[in-house]
Structures are given as C-alpha cells and as structure tokens.
Amino acid sequence: MARIPNDCFSAPEDMISVEQARELIGANLKTVTQAQTIPLSDACARLLAEDITSHLNIPPSDNSAVDGYAFAHDSYEAAQGIGFSNLGRSAAGTPFNGTVSGNCCVKIFTGAIMPAGFDTVAMVEDIVETEGKIHLPKGLKKGANRRKAGEDIEIGTLILKKGCVLRPQEIGHLACIGYSEVPVFSKLKVGLLSTGDELTEPGTPLKAGAIYDSNRFILSSLLKKYGCEIVDYGIVPDDLDAISKALKKAGQECDLVISSGGVSMGDEDHVKAAIEENGSLTFWRIAIKPGRPLALGQIGTTPFVGLPGNPVAALVCATQFVRPLISGLAGSHTISPPLPVFGKSAFQMAKKSGRREWLRGRYYLDADGTPTLEKYKSEGSGLISSLTWSNGLIEIPEETTNISVGTTLCFLPYSELYE
Ligand code: AMP
Ligand code: MG
C-alpha cells in the first residue's frame, strides 16, 4: 500500500498559525487510495481518479431550443407576406430526412435536429398559419432559437479533473458523454478509537463515574460525510499496553488512524507513549481555541491524528485539520476551504489577540431580515448541547480583540464544514 514519507508530520518548533498548520499538513501528503471502476449510478460523492476529456460534441448536432418552425434565414426577407410551405417535421429522436429549399420550413420540436441548410427557428406561438402557409414573425436574427453542435462541450475539452468530487451535476456530465462506469479512488480507510477508562459503549449500563462515548459517533458520522470507510476499534482503556496494541493493529489495517482523548499530558494520557512504541508523535502548538495541541504522528508509515477528548474540541479540530488531511490522502488535492457567510454580531466579547477562535454560533435572519449571529451562552468545550444548539461556527480572526454588537462576523455553516 502506498504510504506517506517518514517525516511527514515533523514538529514545527514554534507556535504556528492555522494557515501554516494546514499548509504543513498538505505539503507532504500523497494519495494513498487506489483507482477502481464503479457504476456511474453509485459514484455520487466519490473522488474522480482520472482526468476526463470529452470524445463527443454536446449537443452532438445543431438542434432546436424551442417548439416551432425551422427555416433558412437567407430566404426570410423574401418570404415576408408570402409565407413558407411546410415540408414536414423534425422531432427529438426522429429527424427530418428530406431535402430543403428556399421559401419552405419544417415543423420542429425542442431538441430535434435542425434540417441541413436551416439555421433559424421561429417559436410556434409566434407564427400564423393561413391557407396552408406558415407566416413567420418579423425581427428574428440568424441562428435564433438554434443550439449549435458543441456549444455546451466541445470535443477534446478537459471536462473533469482527477481528484474532483462527483456531485449530481458531474455524474450528469459523465452520463451526457456516454459513461456508464467511472474511475474513482477507493474510499480512505480510517481506523477510529476512543481512549478513556470512564468511557462506556452506548446501549450498555453506565457505572458510577462513567460517561458514554460520544466522540466515536460524532467522528465516524463526520468521516462518512467526508467519504471515508470507517473501521471501528472501539473504546480502549487508559492503559499503555492496550492503547499500544490497538494503535498498532489499526495502523496495520488502515490508511489513517484517529483517536480522541488521552493526549492532554495527564497521568492517564498514554497515547503519546503508545505511538512512540510504534512510530513517532509530535504535538503541534497551533494558535487556536478550542483545541489543545494537536497530536500528529505515524504508526509505522500510517498517519495518525490524536484529537482532544472534549467533544467540541474534537469536532472543531476534525473539521479544521482532519478534513484537509483526509482529502489529500484520499486523492483530492484541490479541496476548497469552507465558504463563509457573514452576519452582524448580536453579542459582545473580548478576545485574546494572536489566536483564531471558533465559537458555536447560530446564524439567523432577524425581524428586519438582517443576517445575525448569536453565540452559545457558555464556552466549555465539553458542552455537547452547544453543538446541537448551533448551526455552524463563528470564526474570529487572530487579530480581533473585541467584538461589539453590530460587528460583522464570519460564519462557517456546518453544511460547509461537513462537505
Ligand atoms: P482527555 O483528553 O482524555 O483528558 O479528555 C478530556 C475530557 O473529554 C474528559 O472530560 C473526558 O471524559 C472527555 N472525553 C474524552 N473522550 C471522550 C469521548 N470519546 N466521548 C465523550 N467525552 C470524552
Ligand atoms: Mg482521558
């Protein structure tokens, strides 16, 4: 299996910015998935594994954009007042096969091929038919209501680039040039585990002092949205040996391993030592809130990310840093950053300069229709209710130190962060 270079995640010495972290994450990545051919109807949301060039003109022939009468514009002026004789009909899929001459027209339907020699179409609702003659309206320009062969896609054009995400419209684009199967990258196989003695599997009884594991469910749902195949390694207790074994197995079986919890340097945080037994781990100090240092490393040559245990911090770090990592490993090196929207702050807040913050936010239109942003009432990064309350993250830039009511703020809807 293709792997990433050994020093992929060597530690930057100083505190780094969000942009620097993303650049470093992207810099050494290479695609680790393989190309496979699948039916086009199953390919939505997958990553295209080859450049696609059109071997057809679309539309393949000149055709009519409306229901009406096709004619030669050169004889248009001469026929005014006299009218055209109708020679027959051309319907979509059943072209007119006769020969045409001046002063005549052919009834034509939307999508039907233009009879050879005809270049213009009058709409059916604009013509007058008297005594077997078709009288056309004045003022039609040459080529009116005609679609030219190749005007949408010209033969030989590169229409889709390797690595692009196949949305419904790309699927349609492939279908319209005749593809029934498409080369895509195999799904990135991500091994997921949670660490913590307190963690309990939902559906089983909760002992005193224990909590249910929510991160694995948040993260597997998110990673499936990112197109990954999940291998679930469950809950691993705070025990060096157990964590080491689980990580080693996951590293051998997967393209990427992600854990949450156990990386905050407390007595029970064994992930660092466990990774070091099987590879290397470094902590990146990124100037952000929420999120402790992000743990990045390798188990053998398999990349590893250790996310914080607090669910909010785990989700925020996953959307900001794991998303570009996944996209690079999976074969898409051109992932576009989430598209923000902007709204007026309904709150005030002081902030430390020099770090980027993401607040759980709610974007709505106020009574006047003004896009407005509210933040969750408290900041704790363990508050899962703040995630369900919000519909996205308010992104506060590094240099901001003060937000007043009415300040324009940048908002990242979850719909953008989950794509
Ligand atoms: P840790 O990073 O292991 O010190 O955990 C930080 C906090 O997050 C603690 O309160 C943990 O109980 C909590 N936590 C860790 N992992 C999970 C998880 N999988 N689901 C829910 N909470 C978690
Ligand atoms: Mg823990």
Side-chain angles (χ1 to χ4, degrees):
M1 193 186 298
R3 295 294 182 170
I4 57 169
N6 271 335
D7 55 351
C8 188
F9 299 131
S10 54
E13 284 188 359
D14 299 322
M15 177 84 89
I16 54 171
S17 69
V18 172
E19 301 311 337
Q20 285 170 317
R22 286 192 192 136
E23 252 167 55
L24 285 168
I25 286 173
N28 290 316
L29 289 183
K30 62 176 190 151
T31 306
V32 298
T33 49
Q34 288 91 43
Q36 57 179 178
T37 299
I38 62 168
L40 187 65
S41 49
D42 296 338
C44 196
R46 301 294 295 268
L47 297 176
L48 186 64
E50 280 173 23
D51 285 344
I52 304 285
T53 300
S54 182
H55 57 279
L56 281 180
N57 274 323
I58 301 295
S61 326
D62 289 7
N63 68 91
S64 179
V66 296
D67 292 338
Y69 287 84
F71 61 97
H73 199 269
D74 284 349
S75 49
Y76 182 41
E77 287 307 322
Q80 293 294 336
I82 306 165
F84 280 128
S85 314
N86 181 13
L87 288 178
R89 69 204 296 275
S90 178
T94 317
F96 174 77
N97 284 326
T99 39
V100 302
S101 58
N103 290 355
C104 59
C105 61
V106 164
K107 187 164 193 182
I108 197 161
F109 299 88
T110 307
I113 292 182
M114 293 289 286
F118 283 180
D119 52 19
T120 307
V121 181
M123 289 170 79
V124 69
E125 45 271 58
D126 295 339
I127 66 105
V128 177
E129 190 169 359
T130 50
E131 293 161 12
K133 292 279 186 182
I134 306 295
H135 296 271
L136 304 179
K138 290 195 170 151
L140 284 172
K141 294 211 169 80
K142 187 173 180 140
N145 300 316
R146 173 201 51 181
R147 303 190 283 218
K148 287 283 282 174
E151 74 173 28
D152 187 2
I153 305 161
E154 221 172 302
I155 196 163
T157 311
L158 174 68
I159 57 164
L160 296 174
K161 279 197 165 167
K162 178 177 172 175
C164 79
V165 181
L166 298 173
R167 301 169 298 173
Q169 52 268 51
E170 279 79 27
I171 300 288
H173 213 146
L174 289 162
C176 94
I177 58 165
Y179 278 67
S180 63
E181 295 184 321
V182 59
V184 297
F185 287 114
S186 58
K187 290 189 171 193
L188 189 75
K189 205 167 159 189
V190 182
L192 202 55
L193 56 103
S194 293
T195 69
D197 284 343
E198 76 282 31
L199 299 180
T200 307
E201 189 68 26
T204 61
L206 199 61
K207 292 198 187 113
I211 58 168
Y212 285 119
D213 175 5
S214 49
N215 288 354
R216 233 166 75 248
F217 295 85
I218 295 176
L219 294 170
S220 64
S221 309
L222 179 71
L223 296 169
K224 281 181 199 159
K225 279 192 174 282
Y226 292 160
C228 302
E229 178 191 329
I230 308 301
V231 185
D232 187 356
Y233 293 93
I235 297 166
V236 185
D238 287 315
D239 172 82
L240 178 57
D241 206 35
I243 298 178
S244 181
K245 276 201 186 107
L247 288 172
K248 186 174 180 191
K249 183 165 170 18
Q252 284 164 349
E253 293 172 350
C254 300
D255 299 317
L256 168 68
V257 179
I258 299 178
S259 71
S260 71
V263 285
S264 39
M265 304 295 187
D267 290 349
E268 297 301 335
D269 294 328
H270 300 295
V271 173
K272 183 171 195 294
I275 295 282
E276 279 167 351
E277 282 186 8
N278 299 289
S280 60
L281 186 73
T282 59
F283 286 89
W284 288 20
R285 293 190 309 127
I286 311 174
I288 54 167
K289 186 185 170 193
R292 298 195 169 248
L294 188 65
L296 285 159
Q298 285 163 250
I299 307 166
T301 52
T302 303
F304 166 80
V305 183
L307 291 170
N310 277 310
V312 176
L315 178 65
V316 169
C317 287
T319 60
Q320 298 302 322
F321 304 107
V322 175
R323 179 178 182 260
L325 173 62
I326 282 176
S327 125
L329 294 172
S332 171
H333 296 274
T334 53
I335 185 182
S336 43
L339 211 56
V341 294
F342 296 88
K344 299 265 179 233
S345 175
F347 59 93
Q348 56 179 54
M349 188 186 116
K351 173 188 157 288
K352 254 197 196 167
S353 159
R355 71 179 182 203
R356 190 174 304 185
E357 295 193 11
W358 293 283
L359 312 173
R360 283 132 280 165
R362 196 180 266 183
Y363 177 92
Y364 61 95
L365 302 181
D366 75 1
D368 300 329
T370 307
T372 306
L373 286 164
E374 190 64 72
K375 76 175 175 69
Y376 193 64
K377 58 185 184 231
S378 45
E379 294 203 357
S381 70
L383 302 170
I384 204 145
S385 53
S386 67
L387 294 173
T388 46
W389 174 87
S390 55
N391 55 8
L393 300 175
I394 301 170
E395 185 170 68
I396 318 282
E398 286 73 356
E399 61 280 9
T400 301
T401 53
N402 186 51
I403 294 163
S404 316
V405 172
T407 303
T408 298
L409 296 174
C410 174
F411 181 74
L412 304 169
Y414 287 129
S415 52
E416 278 292 313
L417 293 168
Y418 291 172
E419 252 188 35

